[in-house]
């Protein structure tokens, strides 16, 4: 299928997008377009805001601190935010950035840091997580930026799950599970709303594992015979979920 406009820069913006609208970018996005990409008047970009689909826009002003754009036409209708919930025990700095970016690329619609007993990070910069999600959304051509939900503790998450998530099944990547393929387990969840939980570098505590195993909405899975780093496990788990019951089908 031809990917027209694939070569154009894609930018997430806040304002409403409609035919003939005009908008001026902020300093950071203007510098990126005018100075880094050296775009100038007449060049085209693609804009999205998570509500109005993707829009082709043309530069009408290329000042380095305030690029002006005129919207031309909608090139893709808005698609709903993915329904995949992704919870993970936050890692430190670059690996945390990586986790947010990969979860966005792999189709998570809601991302929530979950503090567990062995989590080594306690304070998170929410705006940094959002910035990583926006950057990844721009790059992988999704039309909605995942919703980054403020962090919670594993206990609070599990206690509130039935009320907040209804019949959503929580797939729990359990490094203590006997090595096996999760394919059949996942196939049995087809059609149900799904969440995925990935633990910290230090893994889940035995009490946390027992607590999770005892809950009716939790589906423990193995990711094979080797212990994966948390960021590897996240991508591996999201890949098999998308391939077997998600939007890769
Ligand atoms: N306890 C080990 C450690 O000290 O590094 C492993 C923790 S592992 C790096 C982090 C998370 O990745 C785990 O809590 C689990 O969610 C997931 N994970 C890693 N390998 C896995 C496997 N073979 N099966 C299921 N989940 C796995």
């Amino acid at each position: 299928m031809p990917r027209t406009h694939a070569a154009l820069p894609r930018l997430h913006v806040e304002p409403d997008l409609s035919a003939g609208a005009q908008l001026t970018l902020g300093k950071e996005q203007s510098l990126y377009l005018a100075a880094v990409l050296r775009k100038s008047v007449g060049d085209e970009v693609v804009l999205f805001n998570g509500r109005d689909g993707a829009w082709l826009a043309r530069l009408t002003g290329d000042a380095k601190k305030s690029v002006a754009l005129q919207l031309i036409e909608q090139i893709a209708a808005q698609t709903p935010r993915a329904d995949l919930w992704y919870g993970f025990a936050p890692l430190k700095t670059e690996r945390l950035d990586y986790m947010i970016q990969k979860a966005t690329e792999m189709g998570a619609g809601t991302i929530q840091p979950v503090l567990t007993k062995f989590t080594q990070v306690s304070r998170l910069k929410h705006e940094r997580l959002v910035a990583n999600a926006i950057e990844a959304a721009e790059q992988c051509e999704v039309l909605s930026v995942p919703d980054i939900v403020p962090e919670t503790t594993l206990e609070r998450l599990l206690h509130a799950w039935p009320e907040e998530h209804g019949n959503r099944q929580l797939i729990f990547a359990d490094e203590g599970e006997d090595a096996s393929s999760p394919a059949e387990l996942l196939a049995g969840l087809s059609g149900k709303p799904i969440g995925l939980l990935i633990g910290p570098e230090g893994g889940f505590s035995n009490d946390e594992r027992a607590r999770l195993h005892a809950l009716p909405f939790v589906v423990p899975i193995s990711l094979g015979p080797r212990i994966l780093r948390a960021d590897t496990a996240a991508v591996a788990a999201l890949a098999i979920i998308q391939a077997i019951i998600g939007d890769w089908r």
Side-chain angles (χ1 to χ4, degrees), residues 173-175 197-204 221-224 226-230 233:
D174 180 1
E175 69 273 18
L197 178 65
I198 298 285
E201 286 167 274
F204 287 100
I221 64 166
S222 161
L223 294 174
R226 288 167 294 281
I227 293 296
L228 310 176
R229 282 167 60 98

PDB file of all heavy atoms in Angstrom, residues 173-175 197-204 221-224 226-230 233, ligand 1:
ATOM      1  N   ALA A 173       3.634 -10.689  33.115  1.00  0.00           N
ATOM      2  CA  ALA A 173       4.870 -11.354  32.667  1.00  0.00           C
ATOM      3  C   ALA A 173       5.628 -11.772  33.914  1.00  0.00           C
ATOM      4  O   ALA A 173       6.219 -10.949  34.622  1.00  0.00           O
ATOM      5  CB  ALA A 173       5.710 -10.394  31.818  1.00  0.00           C
ATOM      6  N   ASP A 174       5.574 -13.067  34.183  1.00  0.00           N
ATOM      7  CA  ASP A 174       6.114 -13.596  35.448  1.00  0.00           C
ATOM      8  C   ASP A 174       7.384 -14.387  35.183  1.00  0.00           C
ATOM      9  O   ASP A 174       7.340 -15.495  34.622  1.00  0.00           O
ATOM     10  CB  ASP A 174       5.051 -14.499  36.101  1.00  0.00           C
ATOM     11  CG  ASP A 174       5.551 -15.079  37.420  1.00  0.00           C
ATOM     12  OD1 ASP A 174       6.706 -14.758  37.820  1.00  0.00           O
ATOM     13  OD2 ASP A 174       4.809 -15.862  38.043  1.00  0.00           O
ATOM     14  N   GLU A 175       8.497 -13.826  35.613  1.00  0.00           N
ATOM     15  CA  GLU A 175       9.790 -14.488  35.344  1.00  0.00           C
ATOM     16  C   GLU A 175       9.920 -15.784  36.128  1.00  0.00           C
ATOM     17  O   GLU A 175      10.808 -16.580  35.870  1.00  0.00           O
ATOM     18  CB  GLU A 175      10.948 -13.546  35.667  1.00  0.00           C
ATOM     19  CG  GLU A 175      11.163 -13.240  37.145  1.00  0.00           C
ATOM     20  CD  GLU A 175      10.330 -12.069  37.659  1.00  0.00           C
ATOM     21  OE1 GLU A 175       9.331 -11.710  36.983  1.00  0.00           O
ATOM     22  OE2 GLU A 175      10.667 -11.512  38.703  1.00  0.00           O
ATOM     23  N   LEU A 197       1.552  -6.267  32.413  1.00  0.00           N
ATOM     24  CA  LEU A 197       2.363  -5.774  33.542  1.00  0.00           C
ATOM     25  C   LEU A 197       3.767  -6.382  33.465  1.00  0.00           C
ATOM     26  O   LEU A 197       3.916  -7.606  33.398  1.00  0.00           O
ATOM     27  CB  LEU A 197       1.692  -6.166  34.867  1.00  0.00           C
ATOM     28  CG  LEU A 197       2.433  -5.780  36.153  1.00  0.00           C
ATOM     29  CD1 LEU A 197       2.504  -4.254  36.300  1.00  0.00           C
ATOM     30  CD2 LEU A 197       1.757  -6.404  37.373  1.00  0.00           C
ATOM     31  N   ILE A 198       4.769  -5.469  33.472  1.00  0.00           N
ATOM     32  CA  ILE A 198       6.179  -5.895  33.412  1.00  0.00           C
ATOM     33  C   ILE A 198       6.862  -5.426  34.700  1.00  0.00           C
ATOM     34  O   ILE A 198       6.669  -4.282  35.131  1.00  0.00           O
ATOM     35  CB  ILE A 198       6.894  -5.255  32.204  1.00  0.00           C
ATOM     36  CG1 ILE A 198       6.238  -5.711  30.886  1.00  0.00           C
ATOM     37  CG2 ILE A 198       8.390  -5.585  32.213  1.00  0.00           C
ATOM     38  CD1 ILE A 198       6.553  -7.124  30.452  1.00  0.00           C
ATOM     39  N   GLY A 199       7.657  -6.271  35.290  1.00  0.00           N
ATOM     40  CA  GLY A 199       8.285  -5.954  36.569  1.00  0.00           C
ATOM     41  C   GLY A 199       9.598  -5.199  36.435  1.00  0.00           C
ATOM     42  O   GLY A 199      10.041  -4.897  35.331  1.00  0.00           O
ATOM     43  N   PRO A 200      10.250  -4.924  37.555  1.00  0.00           N
ATOM     44  CA  PRO A 200      11.481  -4.123  37.590  1.00  0.00           C
ATOM     45  C   PRO A 200      12.721  -4.970  37.351  1.00  0.00           C
ATOM     46  O   PRO A 200      12.631  -6.194  37.221  1.00  0.00           O
ATOM     47  CB  PRO A 200      11.473  -3.569  39.013  1.00  0.00           C
ATOM     48  CG  PRO A 200      10.839  -4.664  39.812  1.00  0.00           C
ATOM     49  CD  PRO A 200       9.799  -5.273  38.900  1.00  0.00           C
ATOM     50  N   GLU A 201      13.863  -4.316  37.337  1.00  0.00           N
ATOM     51  CA  GLU A 201      15.117  -5.056  37.154  1.00  0.00           C
ATOM     52  C   GLU A 201      15.256  -6.130  38.218  1.00  0.00           C
ATOM     53  O   GLU A 201      15.774  -7.211  37.961  1.00  0.00           O
ATOM     54  CB  GLU A 201      16.304  -4.084  37.276  1.00  0.00           C
ATOM     55  CG  GLU A 201      16.461  -3.191  36.068  1.00  0.00           C
ATOM     56  CD  GLU A 201      17.406  -2.048  36.346  1.00  0.00           C
ATOM     57  OE1 GLU A 201      16.901  -1.044  36.874  1.00  0.00           O
ATOM     58  OE2 GLU A 201      18.598  -2.178  36.060  1.00  0.00           O
ATOM     59  N   GLY A 202      14.765  -5.848  39.412  1.00  0.00           N
ATOM     60  CA  GLY A 202      14.931  -6.839  40.481  1.00  0.00           C
ATOM     61  C   GLY A 202      13.799  -7.864  40.507  1.00  0.00           C
ATOM     62  O   GLY A 202      13.712  -8.695  41.387  1.00  0.00           O
ATOM     63  N   GLY A 203      12.918  -7.789  39.486  1.00  0.00           N
ATOM     64  CA  GLY A 203      11.832  -8.765  39.414  1.00  0.00           C
ATOM     65  C   GLY A 203      10.743  -8.490  40.454  1.00  0.00           C
ATOM     66  O   GLY A 203      10.804  -7.532  41.217  1.00  0.00           O
ATOM     67  N   PHE A 204       9.733  -9.339  40.460  1.00  0.00           N
ATOM     68  CA  PHE A 204       8.648  -9.221  41.445  1.00  0.00           C
ATOM     69  C   PHE A 204       9.054 -10.006  42.704  1.00  0.00           C
ATOM     70  O   PHE A 204       9.771 -11.013  42.612  1.00  0.00           O
ATOM     71  CB  PHE A 204       7.356  -9.823  40.888  1.00  0.00           C
ATOM     72  CG  PHE A 204       6.706  -8.994  39.817  1.00  0.00           C
ATOM     73  CD1 PHE A 204       6.874  -9.309  38.479  1.00  0.00           C
ATOM     74  CD2 PHE A 204       5.951  -7.871  40.144  1.00  0.00           C
ATOM     75  CE1 PHE A 204       6.291  -8.539  37.480  1.00  0.00           C
ATOM     76  CE2 PHE A 204       5.351  -7.104  39.148  1.00  0.00           C
ATOM     77  CZ  PHE A 204       5.532  -7.436  37.817  1.00  0.00           C
ATOM     78  N   ILE A 221       2.044 -15.152  32.392  1.00  0.00           N
ATOM     79  CA  ILE A 221       2.655 -15.797  31.223  1.00  0.00           C
ATOM     80  C   ILE A 221       4.172 -15.872  31.398  1.00  0.00           C
ATOM     81  O   ILE A 221       4.773 -15.057  32.110  1.00  0.00           O
ATOM     82  CB  ILE A 221       2.351 -15.042  29.898  1.00  0.00           C
ATOM     83  CG1 ILE A 221       2.968 -13.641  29.902  1.00  0.00           C
ATOM     84  CG2 ILE A 221       0.863 -15.007  29.605  1.00  0.00           C
ATOM     85  CD1 ILE A 221       2.988 -12.989  28.515  1.00  0.00           C
ATOM     86  N   SER A 222       4.745 -16.876  30.724  1.00  0.00           N
ATOM     87  CA  SER A 222       6.208 -16.957  30.645  1.00  0.00           C
ATOM     88  C   SER A 222       6.648 -16.308  29.337  1.00  0.00           C
ATOM     89  O   SER A 222       5.925 -16.348  28.344  1.00  0.00           O
ATOM     90  CB  SER A 222       6.637 -18.439  30.642  1.00  0.00           C
ATOM     91  OG  SER A 222       7.954 -18.546  30.138  1.00  0.00           O
ATOM     92  N   LEU A 223       7.832 -15.715  29.363  1.00  0.00           N
ATOM     93  CA  LEU A 223       8.440 -15.189  28.113  1.00  0.00           C
ATOM     94  C   LEU A 223       9.663 -16.029  27.775  1.00  0.00           C
ATOM     95  O   LEU A 223      10.698 -15.528  27.343  1.00  0.00           O
ATOM     96  CB  LEU A 223       8.812 -13.710  28.296  1.00  0.00           C
ATOM     97  CG  LEU A 223       7.639 -12.751  28.490  1.00  0.00           C
ATOM     98  CD1 LEU A 223       8.136 -11.339  28.801  1.00  0.00           C
ATOM     99  CD2 LEU A 223       6.732 -12.716  27.266  1.00  0.00           C
ATOM    100  N   GLY A 224       9.515 -17.352  28.026  1.00  0.00           N
ATOM    101  CA  GLY A 224      10.585 -18.279  27.619  1.00  0.00           C
ATOM    102  C   GLY A 224      11.561 -18.603  28.737  1.00  0.00           C
ATOM    103  O   GLY A 224      11.413 -18.128  29.867  1.00  0.00           O
ATOM    104  N   ARG A 226      14.703 -17.877  29.315  1.00  0.00           N
ATOM    105  CA  ARG A 226      15.775 -16.968  29.770  1.00  0.00           C
ATOM    106  C   ARG A 226      15.165 -15.772  30.514  1.00  0.00           C
ATOM    107  O   ARG A 226      14.035 -15.379  30.212  1.00  0.00           O
ATOM    108  CB  ARG A 226      16.565 -16.455  28.558  1.00  0.00           C
ATOM    109  CG  ARG A 226      17.457 -17.540  27.926  1.00  0.00           C
ATOM    110  CD  ARG A 226      17.975 -17.106  26.564  1.00  0.00           C
ATOM    111  NE  ARG A 226      16.867 -16.984  25.604  1.00  0.00           N
ATOM    112  CZ  ARG A 226      16.310 -18.021  24.983  1.00  0.00           C
ATOM    113  NH1 ARG A 226      16.702 -19.271  25.265  1.00  0.00           N
ATOM    114  NH2 ARG A 226      15.326 -17.847  24.111  1.00  0.00           N
ATOM    115  N   ILE A 227      15.952 -15.211  31.439  1.00  0.00           N
ATOM    116  CA  ILE A 227      15.467 -14.016  32.134  1.00  0.00           C
ATOM    117  C   ILE A 227      15.791 -12.812  31.272  1.00  0.00           C
ATOM    118  O   ILE A 227      16.957 -12.526  31.005  1.00  0.00           O
ATOM    119  CB  ILE A 227      16.127 -13.877  33.522  1.00  0.00           C
ATOM    120  CG1 ILE A 227      15.669 -15.019  34.440  1.00  0.00           C
ATOM    121  CG2 ILE A 227      15.802 -12.536  34.150  1.00  0.00           C
ATOM    122  CD1 ILE A 227      14.165 -15.007  34.740  1.00  0.00           C
ATOM    123  N   LEU A 228      14.785 -12.116  30.808  1.00  0.00           N
ATOM    124  CA  LEU A 228      14.984 -10.958  29.928  1.00  0.00           C
ATOM    125  C   LEU A 228      15.129  -9.693  30.761  1.00  0.00           C
ATOM    126  O   LEU A 228      14.529  -9.580  31.836  1.00  0.00           O
ATOM    127  CB  LEU A 228      13.786 -10.802  28.990  1.00  0.00           C
ATOM    128  CG  LEU A 228      13.346 -12.059  28.218  1.00  0.00           C
ATOM    129  CD1 LEU A 228      12.087 -11.763  27.406  1.00  0.00           C
ATOM    130  CD2 LEU A 228      14.455 -12.570  27.325  1.00  0.00           C
ATOM    131  N   ARG A 229      15.880  -8.733  30.270  1.00  0.00           N
ATOM    132  CA  ARG A 229      15.895  -7.430  30.937  1.00  0.00           C
ATOM    133  C   ARG A 229      14.499  -6.838  30.800  1.00  0.00           C
ATOM    134  O   ARG A 229      13.780  -7.139  29.842  1.00  0.00           O
ATOM    135  CB  ARG A 229      16.938  -6.511  30.270  1.00  0.00           C
ATOM    136  CG  ARG A 229      18.365  -6.831  30.699  1.00  0.00           C
ATOM    137  CD  ARG A 229      19.371  -6.130  29.794  1.00  0.00           C
ATOM    138  NE  ARG A 229      19.236  -4.679  29.815  1.00  0.00           N
ATOM    139  CZ  ARG A 229      20.007  -3.886  30.562  1.00  0.00           C
ATOM    140  NH1 ARG A 229      20.918  -4.413  31.369  1.00  0.00           N
ATOM    141  NH2 ARG A 229      19.881  -2.595  30.521  1.00  0.00           N
ATOM    142  N   ALA A 230      14.110  -5.991  31.715  1.00  0.00           N
ATOM    143  CA  ALA A 230      12.729  -5.487  31.730  1.00  0.00           C
ATOM    144  C   ALA A 230      12.351  -4.822  30.415  1.00  0.00           C
ATOM    145  O   ALA A 230      11.254  -5.033  29.898  1.00  0.00           O
ATOM    146  CB  ALA A 230      12.566  -4.498  32.885  1.00  0.00           C
ATOM    147  N   ALA A 233      11.849  -7.537  27.893  1.00  0.00           N
ATOM    148  CA  ALA A 233      10.605  -8.263  28.187  1.00  0.00           C
ATOM    149  C   ALA A 233       9.397  -7.455  27.710  1.00  0.00           C
ATOM    150  O   ALA A 233       8.435  -8.011  27.174  1.00  0.00           O
ATOM    151  CB  ALA A 233      10.512  -8.525  29.684  1.00  0.00           C
TER     152      ALA A 233
HETATM  153  N1  LIG B   1      14.902 -11.163  38.893  1.00  0.00           N
HETATM  154  C1  LIG B   1      15.595 -10.927  37.633  1.00  0.00           C
HETATM  155  C2  LIG B   1      16.665  -9.845  37.830  1.00  0.00           C
HETATM  156  O1  LIG B   1      17.155  -9.711  38.963  1.00  0.00           O
HETATM  157  O2  LIG B   1      17.026  -9.169  36.857  1.00  0.00           O
HETATM  158  C3  LIG B   1      14.626 -10.676  36.515  1.00  0.00           C
HETATM  159  C4  LIG B   1      13.762  -9.499  36.503  1.00  0.00           C
HETATM  160  S1  LIG B   1      13.369  -9.181  34.859  1.00  0.00           S
HETATM  161  C5  LIG B   1      14.757  -8.286  34.406  1.00  0.00           C
HETATM  162  C6  LIG B   1      12.178  -7.852  34.829  1.00  0.00           C
HETATM  163  C7  LIG B   1      10.805  -8.243  34.368  1.00  0.00           C
HETATM  164  O3  LIG B   1      10.803  -8.715  33.036  1.00  0.00           O
HETATM  165  C8  LIG B   1      10.196  -9.361  35.168  1.00  0.00           C
HETATM  166  O4  LIG B   1       9.686  -8.926  36.401  1.00  0.00           O
HETATM  167  C9  LIG B   1       9.135  -9.863  34.214  1.00  0.00           C
HETATM  168  O5  LIG B   1       7.999  -9.002  34.246  1.00  0.00           O
HETATM  169  C10 LIG B   1       9.829  -9.750  32.880  1.00  0.00           C
HETATM  170  N2  LIG B   1      10.497 -10.978  32.477  1.00  0.00           N
HETATM  171  C11 LIG B   1      11.812 -11.146  32.241  1.00  0.00           C
HETATM  172  N3  LIG B   1      12.072 -12.406  31.831  1.00  0.00           N
HETATM  173  C12 LIG B   1      10.885 -13.060  31.806  1.00  0.00           C
HETATM  174  C13 LIG B   1      10.493 -14.390  31.472  1.00  0.00           C
HETATM  175  N4  LIG B   1      11.377 -15.310  31.061  1.00  0.00           N
HETATM  176  N5  LIG B   1       9.181 -14.723  31.571  1.00  0.00           N
HETATM  177  C14 LIG B   1       8.267 -13.803  31.983  1.00  0.00           C
HETATM  178  N6  LIG B   1       8.576 -12.518  32.306  1.00  0.00           N
HETATM  179  C15 LIG B   1       9.886 -12.156  32.217  1.00  0.00           C
END
